[in-house]
Amino acid sequence: MELDPLILSRIQFAFVVSFHAIFPVFTIGLASYIAVLEGLAFKTRNPVWETLSAFWTKVFAVVFGMGVVSGIVMSFQFGTNWSNFAQASANFLGPILSYEVITAFFLEAAFLGVLLFGRNKVPAGVHLFAAIMVATGTFISSFWILSANSWMQTPAGVELREGVFHVTSWSEAIFNPSFPYRFLHMAMASFLTGGFVVAGVSAWYLLKGREVEANRKALSMCLWLLLFIAPAQLVIGDFHGLNTLEHQPTKVAAMEGNWETSSNVPLLLFAIPDQENQRNLFEIGIPSMASMVLTHDWDGVVPGLNEVAVEEQPPVAIVFWSFRIMVGLGALMILFALAGLFLRPGGRYYQNRKFLQGLRFMSIAPFIAVLTGWFVTETGRAPWLVYGMMTQAESVTPSLTGGMALFTLIGYIVVYALVFAAGVYYLMRVLFVGLESEEEDTTDSPERPARPLSAAHVPFEYDSHGRPVPANDGGQ
Amino acid sequence: MQLFDLALIWAFIIGFGIIMYVLMDGFDLGVGILFPFAPSEDDRDVMMNSVAPVWDGNETWLVLGGAGLLAAFPMVYTIFLPALYIGVFLLLAGLIFRGVAFEFRFKARTSRYLWNWAFAGGSTVAAFAQGVVVGAYIQGFETANGVYVGGALDWLTPFTVLTGLGLLAGYALLGSTWLILKTEGRLQEWAYRITTPLLVAVLVVFGIISIWTPFVDELVSERWFSHLSVIWILPVLTLLCALQIWRSVRRRDEGLPFVSTMGLFITTYLGLIVSRWPYVVPPEYTLWEAASAYDSQLFLLLGLLFVVPIVLAYTAWTYWVFRGKVRAGEGYH
Ligand code: HDD
Ligand code: HEM
Ligand code: HEM
């Protein structure tokens, strides 16, 4: 069998970017949460806020570090595997990614040090400021990278001359048509991720009866937040979809599993798309509902996949199912947020064990929703890389052979598997040790290093009774 | 119509970024390279703590280098990376392992030796791979119409292996002189001891590379030997720096060895640049041919002028916060 460098590069890119994406989406939400906790600690002087902040900062440090190492890989992917694309789009993507480095990455790196290690070294106000700067940095970062990605979805402000994009309007290119929706949708996804993880972990501690006071506060806060942002995500997602209908109708057709352009299109709840025969094998749907959602008219005409040639269709089943998983999880999130409101009288939200158990499992839901969301977006634009202008096949590195691509694909899988396993193992330890290990944090020695992960100095090993053993502390 | 030669300005900016990266990440990679040879496990703790606060910021210069090349000289980005495909993967894998090793080594007990190896191995592979990039740059690339057309392993030749070893030795020297600056007692004594042999190794390898390079490339031999030019001042300065390292180590100076090593790097780097100028993708393309659109270069330059001074300011502030000697038993925990 001939190894196809294009397919292998696509798999590799999908793998490394999905691996990378799970970290930022969490750190963006968590950074803001920590900034809020720091603000509350600063204002009220209630030690509970500081305990919570110190704990979540440790978790943050681990996740952020994994985001950094996987992000460095991303910045070289365009050159190694997609060099024709990099060559063509450098006039736009180059400055955008460089702006991300100088306005976001340096900012995050510097102030993270102060946030992690500076609690006793700088005045409380400066420490709070550092927390706010880190949170701001993560948003600046997502601003630039989502602008880059949105431009690939809905290119604007450029013209193609001799195979190279030239920017004709920077503001049109940066604020391209799908950018505002994607940025908001992603920001909300980050908050949802932060919110559900914090809620899930707090629920788990409450189930075990640990640090009830602090965890109740954290859970209550999260539930209020989720009550607003979970429904907001539905609304934003709806607008996002309408925007996509305008600019990438084929993608919407794939999301809806709609093969023929017609009116009164049903909203399919379940179907098995059969791309070969251009139809669905089995359908359960709500009559005319898709027309209603997409055109706000029961008789509205919805474009189908038959508008484009078969070779120009994306893989329908992936888009169709990913979209359903994302929306399904979104609905489940709204349900949980409402349940939280319903259980609030009498403080049942922190006593009802079923609810707490449910929340525990919901903590992975946002990660799945985010990944499937990206699958919809990215797979749905196939075969285009820059929508309507440049295909994936044109973009791949010409000198790349199947063997080379396979070598690095396997290499990244092995490396990431090892790093991920160690990271998760380590995060689990942080969670097991829990909030009370906070004391050791306050004895900040003058030489504490400033970088990700090292704030989370929790032992790796357990003794024979299953109690945590302090790690061999640097020769002390 | 175009007021400035932006490509030229950008060549200086990228050149500055690269030497910033080499000097800053160089010493912390060097500490990693020396790691297995340290006198004791306690000393390894101190070594790691001495670079722990700053390595992450140092590495961000590499990211800036990548993004900056894409923005200003896309042809460099899109020829080097495909040509060095396998090497780039090894470089990144090395950086990943050493990055996480910082974190996990201090939490581990039984598995600690694994993270020691991850740190040392990752640093060594990354340093070697960077040296290979330098060698591949001197060697030149097989291109057609601005696209790399060579094979997967063209970069791997005896010459690039030698430049790989050269940078490995060079980074180790930066690492040992950094340790002289940041440590005291037995560890510092050890660092003093290994500095002179490392210096000799660096001089030998750099010497062989210098003699070899004119044979690899005609332009270089023409430039250096056709007539006695002023550029001979650079190797002379390099040797002076080497002499200064040797003397300052003998006199037990603490800061001077590190500073002179940086000098040695800078003069060698300038020597490389003048040999190659203005070719950024040898043997064919000059910096003007590799440049992106004037507009794009300008758009980024304007922002850079504003933001980079601020970045430099808070970077300096971090170094200031973590100034002074690192002592055993303090630091990580
Ligand atoms: C919506 C958010 C988002 C998305 C879609 C991406 N990233 Fe990312 N990235 C971040 C948000 C982020 C972040 C939150 O800013 C991180 C996480 C940890 C960190 O240090 O910053 C980060 C880290 C990070 C780093 C390391 C920065 C450092 O050294 O400190 C690089 C080089 C990249 N990213 C590059 C990319 C590329 C090339 C992407 C696309 C293909 C990408 N990221 C997608
Ligand atoms: C961070 C969240 C992201 C995730 C989870 C994600 C996921 C994916 C997936 C699954 C594919 C494969 C589609 C296919 O081949 O069928 C893909 C393709 C691609 N994406 Fe993204 N993406 C993300 C962000 C980005 C960003 C921010 C950019 C650019 C700035 C980008 C650029 C690309 C490119 C160049 C491809 C083409 C390679 C390919 O088809 O695999 N992605 N992405
Ligand atoms: C609740 C109902 C939701 C709707 C109607 C909705 C709608 C959409 C649509 C239409 C897209 C594709 C846009 C395009 O490619 O042009 C999308 C993408 C995406 N969704 Fe959702 N979504 C919902 C919930 C969620 C939730 C709960 C999350 C995560 C917590 C999420 C995360 C994402 C992400 C990360 C993307 C890819 C990036 C982007 O294109 O914005 N979505 N969503």
Side-chain angles (χ1 to χ4, degrees), chain B residues 113-155:
Chain B
Y113 71 99
L114 282 180
W115 301 116
N116 280 351
W117 284 114
F119 183 56
S123 304
T124 306
V125 169
F128 181 77
Q130 290 178 13
V132 169
V133 175
V134 177
Y137 166 67
I138 297 173
Q139 218 170 254
F141 300 93
E142 197 182 330
T143 57
N145 300 323
V147 171
Y148 179 70
V149 294
L153 291 175
D154 287 6
W155 51 273

Side-chain angles (χ1 to χ4, degrees), chain A residues 163-208:
Chain A
V164 173
F165 291 101
H166 287 264
V167 179
T168 51
S169 159
W170 287 98
S171 59
E172 276 174 36
I174 294 173
F175 298 96
N176 55 74
S178 67
F179 171 67
Y181 302 96
R182 191 163 280 107
F183 182 69
L184 274 183
H185 197 55
M186 189 71 186
M188 218 42 87
S190 303
F191 284 141
L192 282 171
T193 310
F196 272 102
V197 172
V198 175
V201 171
S202 308
W204 179 64
Y205 283 141
L206 287 170
L207 280 168
K208 301 184 80 175

Side-chain angles (χ1 to χ4, degrees), chain A residues 9 12 62 64 66 68-70 72-81 83-84 86-87 90-99 101-103 105-114 117 121-122 126 144 166-167 170 174 397-401 404-405 407-408 411-412 415-416 418-419 422-423 426 443 445-461 469-476, chain B residues 42 45 49 51-57 59-64 66-72 74-75 77-79 81-83 85-86 88-93 95-97 99-100 102-112 115 146-152 182 291-304 307-308 311 314-315 317-318 321-333:
Chain A
S9 294
Q12 175 168 318
V62 180
F64 195 88
M66 313 253 290
V68 170
V69 290
S70 58
I72 292 176
V73 172
M74 293 312 305
S75 50
F76 291 96
Q77 279 292 309
F78 295 137
T80 51
N81 292 61
S83 74
N84 275 358
Q87 177 80 32
N91 284 332
F92 176 66
L93 284 189
I96 296 302
L97 297 179
S98 301
Y99 267 115
V101 180
I102 59 174
T103 58
F105 291 157
F106 278 117
L107 189 76
E108 288 171 327
F111 285 98
L112 183 69
V114 183
F117 311 104
K121 284 186 123 183
V122 292
V126 177
W144 292 112
H166 287 264
V167 179
W170 287 98
I174 294 173
T397 301
S399 61
L400 188 68
T401 63
M404 289 157 78
F407 174 79
T408 54
Y412 281 121
V415 171
Y416 281 2
L418 289 173
V419 169
Y426 182 56
T443 57
S445 63
E447 296 285 325
R448 279 291 269 311
R451 64 208 157 63
L453 301 188
S454 54
H457 42 76
V458 171
F460 231 146
E461 271 81 25
V469 182
N472 190 350
D473 283 357
Q476 284 170 45
Chain B
D42 290 355
D45 294 335
N49 283 335
V51 292
V54 288
W55 75 270
D56 184 33
E59 234 166 70
T60 307
W61 289 93
L62 179 67
V63 182
L64 181 60
L69 277 177
L70 179 62
M75 193 191 271
Y77 184 87
T78 56
I79 288 177
L81 291 177
Y85 189 82
I86 305 283
V88 169
F89 168 74
L90 295 177
L91 168 65
L92 294 172
L95 290 178
I96 291 173
F97 276 119
V100 296
F102 269 103
E103 320 305 337
F104 297 148
R105 179 176 174 275
F106 283 93
K107 285 76 184 183
R109 277 162 78 106
T110 48
S111 53
R112 198 167 206 212
W115 301 116
V147 171
Y148 179 70
V149 294
K182 294 295 281 187
S292 60
Y294 186 82
D295 244 23
S296 300
Q297 292 196 332
L298 185 65
F299 177 69
L300 182 56
L301 183 64
L302 294 178
L304 211 69
V307 183
V308 166
V311 170
Y314 59 59
T315 304
W317 179 63
T318 329
V321 168
F322 297 99
R323 67 197 177 280
K325 294 273 184 196
V326 182
R327 295 192 175 82
E330 69 181 25
Y332 219 101
H333 289 267

Side-chain angles (χ1 to χ4, degrees), chain B residues 44-309:
Chain B
R44 279 194 264 278
D45 294 335
V46 175
M47 286 167 78
M48 216 172 202
N49 283 335
S50 76
V51 292
V54 288
W55 75 270
D56 184 33
N58 296 348
E59 234 166 70
T60 307
W61 289 93
L62 179 67
V63 182
L64 181 60
L69 277 177
L70 179 62
F73 301 107
M75 193 191 271
V76 178
Y77 184 87
T78 56
I79 288 177
F80 274 52
L81 291 177
L84 298 160
Y85 189 82
I86 305 283
V88 169
F89 168 74
L90 295 177
L91 168 65
L92 294 172
L95 290 178
I96 291 173
F97 276 119
R98 79 183 287 275
V100 296
F102 269 103
E103 320 305 337
F104 297 148
R105 179 176 174 275
F106 283 93
K107 285 76 184 183
R109 277 162 78 106
T110 48
S111 53
R112 198 167 206 212
Y113 71 99
L114 282 180
W115 301 116
N116 280 351
W117 284 114
F119 183 56
S123 304
T124 306
V125 169
F128 181 77
Q130 290 178 13
V132 169
V133 175
V134 177
Y137 166 67
I138 297 173
Q139 218 170 254
F141 300 93
E142 197 182 330
T143 57
N145 300 323
V147 171
Y148 179 70
V149 294
L153 291 175
D154 287 6
W155 51 273
L156 194 63
T157 63
F159 181 71
T160 56
V161 169
L162 188 70
T163 54
L165 293 175
L167 200 63
L168 203 58
Y171 280 174
L173 182 65
L174 268 175
S176 74
T177 51
W178 165 261
L179 289 175
I180 292 176
L181 176 69
K182 294 295 281 187
T183 67
E184 53 196 1
R186 188 184 48 176
L187 182 58
Q188 191 192 36
E189 203 43 50
W190 174 74
Y192 273 124
R193 262 205 324 278
I194 60 168
T195 296
T196 316
L198 280 174
L199 177 63
V200 173
V202 168
L203 289 179
V204 169
V205 183
F206 279 21
I208 300 176
I209 293 171
S210 307
I211 294 167
W212 195 339
T213 303
F215 294 101
V216 173
D217 186 78
E218 267 171 44
L219 176 76
V220 176
S221 76
E222 191 185 310
R223 208 158 266 183
W224 287 86
F225 300 114
S226 62
H227 47 90
L228 201 63
S229 61
V230 279
I231 57 178
W232 280 92
I233 191 113
L234 288 169
V236 173
L237 284 175
T238 308
L239 285 177
L240 282 179
C241 287
L243 188 70
Q244 185 64 0
I245 299 172
W246 180 72
R247 276 190 17 194
S248 56
V249 165
R250 284 196 48 178
R251 287 207 314 257
R252 290 292 187 263
D253 276 331
E254 296 201 320
L256 213 51
F258 185 59
V259 174
S260 324
T261 308
M262 292 207 283
L264 186 132
F265 263 87
I266 292 170
T267 52
T268 313
Y269 178 69
L270 289 176
L272 181 65
I273 291 179
V274 296
S275 312
R276 274 313 194 175
W277 185 267
Y279 289 91
V280 286
V281 187
E284 263 195 72
Y285 299 104
T286 65
L287 60 97
W288 293 281
E289 288 156 328
S292 60
Y294 186 82
D295 244 23
S296 300
Q297 292 196 332
L298 185 65
F299 177 69
L300 182 56
L301 183 64
L302 294 178
L304 211 69
L305 291 179
F306 264 107
V307 183
V308 166

Side-chain angles (χ1 to χ4, degrees), chain A residues 10 13 17 21 82 149 152 374-375 378-379 381 385 392:
Chain A
R10 286 172 60 182
F13 196 91
V17 78
W82 306 97
N149 183 269
M152 292 164 64
W374 277 108
F375 292 168
E378 303 287 313
T379 318
R381 99 184 129 175
L385 200 56
Q392 291 172 341

